Amino acid sequence: MNERELLARVCDAYRRILGEKLVGFYVHGSIAFGCFTWATGDIDFLVVTETPLTQPEKEALIRVLLDLDAEAPPKGYEMSVVLRSECGHFRYPTPFELHFSNAHRARAEADLSAYCRDMHGEDPDLAAHFTVIRHIGETLFGAPIAEVFADVPRAAYVDSILGDVDGAAREIADNPVYITLNLCRVLAYLAEGAVLSKRQGGEWG
């Protein structure tokens, strides 16, 4: 199963779980930019709902990703659920209803109920995700991007992407390619306002 087939499986499952509550299912990251590689990329998507999630809905959404983990690329999935009101009236850092990535997989597997109960809050990374969705994102299901996502202020996007490279000086020796590409991507935006993938950032650099 490739990344597109996995996204379709997840989207179909989420539509069944959320029903009319689901506003849209939006793809961002390297898949949206057209430069996804199985060995190094994760499957990035954002789910927008009209009203808050219930605990059973949260558990069902995460269980879909856990059940499909064996089919996923090594870096897995990165998913956030956000209310439509937070997309249309942007706040920074942006509140989210639920989040999942490989970094949290062991915790979710150990106690799914507790994980879903506790995994909510605010995430500065959502400013970057919203910006990418506005720029190059893909609607897999639901309302068009322009009807859901307001513009992200430049200051919020800059703070978000600078936070993503905050540890670059410490980490670059251990992960030189990833960090260098990420730094180029940030510099491209600061210099020219270009919203790029890491690969595109490297090419720009």
Side-chain angles (χ1 to χ4, degrees):
M1 198 180 314
N2 63 33
E3 68 276 6
R4 286 288 176 181
E5 292 168 333
L6 280 169
L7 275 169
R9 287 274 298 275
V10 174
C11 184
D12 286 347
Y14 280 24
R15 290 177 65 182
R16 290 194 298 271
I17 292 164
L18 296 173
E20 294 184 359
K21 180 180 288 190
L22 179 62
V23 173
F25 188 108
Y26 305 97
V27 182
H28 61 96
S30 59
I31 295 177
F33 278 108
C35 58
F36 174 83
T37 58
W38 190 267
T40 61
D42 50 11
I43 295 177
D44 299 299
F45 62 95
L46 191 76
V47 177
V48 179
T49 62
E50 199 69 58
T51 55
L53 299 178
T54 65
Q55 177 73 8
E57 287 170 343
K58 290 181 178 182
E59 292 182 19
L61 296 181
I62 299 300
R63 193 173 290 112
V64 169
L65 302 183
L66 294 177
D67 288 347
L68 288 172
D69 182 69
E71 306 288 340
K75 290 188 69 174
Y77 308 91
E78 183 172 355
M79 178 276 289
S80 293
V81 181
V82 183
L83 292 175
R84 183 172 192 164
S85 58
E86 301 296 348
C87 301
H89 301 280
F90 183 78
R91 289 192 286 163
Y92 184 77
T94 308
F96 65 92
E97 287 283 294
L98 185 65
H99 175 76
F100 180 82
S101 70
N102 257 16
H104 304 289
R105 185 179 62 190
R107 183 179 163 204
E109 289 175 333
D111 190 338
L112 182 59
S113 178
Y115 176 84
C116 292
R117 186 171 58 249
D118 298 338
M119 183 50 73
H120 60 87
E122 297 176 337
D123 185 2
D125 288 348
L126 286 168
H129 299 337
F130 283 18
T131 300
V132 170
I133 288 171
R134 289 269 305 178
H135 178 74
I136 197 72
E138 178 183 341
T139 304
L140 210 60
F141 170 80
I145 288 167
E147 294 181 7
V148 177
F149 294 91
D151 283 328
V152 174
R154 184 180 190 277
Y157 181 62
V158 168
D159 190 71
S160 178
I161 59 177
L162 286 178
D164 199 34
V165 296
D166 184 55
R170 299 187 306 272
E171 299 166 7
I172 194 164
D174 295 327
N175 200 352
V177 174
Y178 179 90
I179 297 297
T180 300
L181 295 180
N182 217 11
L183 288 168
C184 289
R185 175 173 65 170
V186 171
L187 185 58
Y189 183 78
L190 296 176
E192 299 181 3
V195 178
L196 305 177
S197 68
K198 285 187 281 293
R199 177 183 292 181
Q200 292 169 336
E203 293 167 350
W204 175 91

